[in-house]
Amino acid sequence: MQLDRVLEARGMTLSELSGRVGITLANLSILKTGKARAVRFSTLDALCRALDCQPGDLLAWEDGPPEPD
């Protein structure tokens, strides 16, 4: 997730974003570091509304390990 880049561009801290969207700092940190395994559409919507951005501004596809057969 490109959350840190968008936050910096908006001049917003993770704490401020947490207050605006009602997501804990711990969960936002997991999203920011790319350790989240999934993101709810409602969470993505709240982030986009608070950051005035599109989902594509936050998400990036990265090649991972192949799926087991």
Side-chain angles (χ1 to χ4, degrees), residues 3-68:
L3 184 56
D4 55 344
R5 184 178 53 81
V6 176
L7 280 171
E8 184 177 331
R10 302 296 188 272
M12 191 181 300
T13 65
L14 205 59
S15 296
E16 185 178 351
L17 181 60
S18 174
R20 287 185 183 197
V21 297
I23 300 172
T24 66
L25 278 173
N27 285 336
L28 283 177
S29 182
I30 289 168
L31 290 172
K32 184 178 170 189
T33 59
K35 295 181 181 179
R37 299 195 70 174
V39 180
R40 290 183 178 158
F41 284 120
S42 60
T43 299
L44 187 57
D45 179 61
L47 291 172
C48 288
R49 287 176 188 276
L51 294 168
D52 190 29
C53 68
Q54 294 294 313
D57 297 328
L58 297 174
L59 301 174
W61 182 83
E62 294 180 7
D63 195 13
E67 294 283 326

